[in-house]
Amino acid sequence: MPEIKLNNVAFAYSNSKQRALTEVNLTIPAGSYTALAGHTGSGKSTLVSLIDGLLKPTAGQITVGKQTVDASARRQDLAKLRQHVGFVFQFPEQQLFAETVAKDIAFGPENLGWGQERVATAVQEALNAVGLPADLAERSPFMLSGGQMRRVAIAGVLAMQPEVLILDEPTAGLDAKSTEQLLNLIATFHQEGRTIILITHQMEQVARYADQVVVMNHGQLVTATTPAQLFADSQLMAANQLNRPAAVQIAHQLRKRGVDLPAVLTLDQLAKTLAPRLKGGTD
């Protein structure tokens, strides 16, 4: 799995005098689950677009594995970067276009020049990976449920076998059941060894899944830390318009009332911590 490094990375869009990113220095360890947080316009989408090779930096260097790009990078250099990285855009189902699920998933591998047999295998493996039955392969993707359509779109990215998977607010617009299923699916991808980069506004998702959280604000890197360290810093959270997860807030209120609690990040952790005390009749 490739490590990702950004060294003094800056970026400015051609129609803007103001930089969208300024001197970002960041390491995303191979195999990590990194959440990317920050208010709208903080630079999150620009950052991941650079990592995916959709943009090239105005200054600095981006390294994914053994591939490094800078301001002089050519189109083929950026394409090599994308061989390692898969990007699932927000509302990816809006990019579905083919007449069948199989053809939509096959589009990426076919454009990589893979042979017919290899493409067919990749399509089947991607369907299996996202938990969709094989009999959906010949159906129109537009006849599926919203959650299924999103899985098809993710399968199209997975079919190209990326080592790094970027997901931009992947649960946006999904109901609670589909959200839970999709988050568990992403966790499975991580357990299989992929590096996950998750853009999210949901701090519960950060608390539950991420081992690193990167906070952006006005195009600058504020911090790259653990969820526990971030949530313990109420001033930093407030300054960056981030809300602490419900479990962290409840635990804080209980401590103010004299309840001695260890650090907890999720409601499951809080419940497990409190259950023995409630049974024993103590605080």
Side-chain angles (χ1 to χ4, degrees), residues 166-202:
I166 300 171
L167 303 109
D168 186 355
E169 297 282 0
T171 62
L174 295 182
D175 60 29
K177 181 179 179 180
S178 296
T179 292
E180 182 73 8
Q181 290 174 339
L182 184 54
L183 289 173
N184 289 338
L185 186 62
I186 296 167
T188 299
F189 299 153
H190 178 238
Q191 291 162 6
E192 293 171 348
R194 285 187 176 88
T195 301
I196 302 295
I197 302 175
L198 177 75
I199 298 178
T200 183
H201 288 91
Q202 304 297 322

Side-chain angles (χ1 to χ4, degrees), residues 40 68 82 93 105 126 145 156 249 251 272:
T40 302
T68 297
R82 287 194 292 273
E93 62 273 17
I105 297 172
S145 69
Q249 295 185 46
K272 288 178 181 178

Side-chain angles (χ1 to χ4, degrees), residues 203 213 215 222-245 248-249 252 255 263-265:
M203 292 301 103
V213 55
V215 179
V222 176
T223 187
T225 185
T226 65
Q229 290 173 322
L230 175 64
F231 300 146
D233 193 334
S234 57
Q235 289 185 329
L236 183 65
M237 294 285 289
N240 291 279
Q241 303 175 37
L242 301 174
N243 296 317
R244 290 191 292 182
V248 176
Q249 295 185 46
H252 176 69
R255 290 190 195 98
V264 294
L265 300 182

Side-chain angles (χ1 to χ4, degrees), residues 40-76:
T40 302
S42 62
K44 304 185 302 296
S45 295
T46 300
L47 181 64
V48 294
S49 294
L50 288 163
I51 293 173
D52 188 45
L54 295 173
L55 302 172
K56 65 179 179 179
T58 304
Q61 293 180 323
I62 300 169
T63 300
V64 179
K66 297 180 180 179
Q67 186 66 35
T68 297
V69 298
D70 56 21
S72 65
R74 300 166 298 173
R75 184 174 297 177
Q76 52 264 46

